[in-house]
Amino acid sequence: MTDLIIPGTQSVPDVLGDWQAGILAMNGDSYPENAFSLFDQIIKWVEKYLAADSRALSLELRLIYLNTSSVRAMMDIFDLLETAAAGGRRVAVNWYFDSANERVGELAAEFKEDYTFPFHILPVD
């Protein structure tokens, strides 16, 4: 299958979906003018990956700021992972955040409360 590469901008995170490694990485701010256009690509990639075989998928997040539309889209992605995990698929989220930015850590913790798959919130200095 194919990798997903979306170059980041000031308002769009860098996105790399590495098909062979089973990793979807997002880095940066997420407040795109059209969140649907951005996240539709990401959601479709996750759906294809999960439908293709039974390999694990890990989300490696280094998101700094998310607007409301981005939060909703992330919930859609996490819902896909929750469904996959309920079916026995190994999935995980590793959300790295600057320990000086408590709001991002709190947002990640709010997400974590809603899901049962491994969801790690990892402060970095």
Side-chain angles (χ1 to χ4, degrees):
M1 292 296 166
T2 182
D3 291 345
L4 173 67
I5 301 170
I6 301 171
T9 67
Q10 181 177 343
S11 61
V12 172
D14 282 315
V15 179
L16 174 59
D18 185 328
W19 193 276
Q20 290 303 315
I23 295 173
L24 175 62
M26 292 187 231
N27 303 300
D29 287 327
S30 184
Y31 56 98
E33 199 166 302
N34 185 343
F36 175 79
S37 176
L38 169 67
F39 282 98
D40 186 54
Q41 301 171 73
I42 298 168
I43 290 168
K44 285 181 179 173
W45 187 90
V46 170
E47 289 173 335
K48 286 179 186 176
Y49 184 91
L50 293 173
D53 60 40
S54 60
R55 293 183 306 127
L57 179 61
S58 176
L59 267 63
E60 301 292 322
L61 306 177
R62 287 174 174 83
L63 297 170
I64 301 165
Y65 172 79
L66 290 86
N67 65 2
T68 303
S69 298
S70 297
V71 167
R72 282 191 217 129
M74 291 303 299
M75 288 172 33
D76 290 343
I77 293 168
F78 294 152
D79 288 347
L80 289 171
L81 296 182
E82 184 73 8
T83 300
R89 186 67 158 275
R90 288 183 305 129
V91 298
V93 170
N94 295 308
W95 193 321
Y96 302 88
F97 74 99
D98 182 341
S99 58
N101 186 348
E102 292 179 16
R103 285 191 288 182
V104 174
E106 291 169 1
L107 175 62
E110 288 178 28
F111 278 127
K112 181 179 180 173
E113 289 176 5
D114 294 332
Y115 300 99
T116 61
F117 58 82
F119 196 119
H120 309 284
I121 303 168
L122 306 160
V124 292
D125 294 327

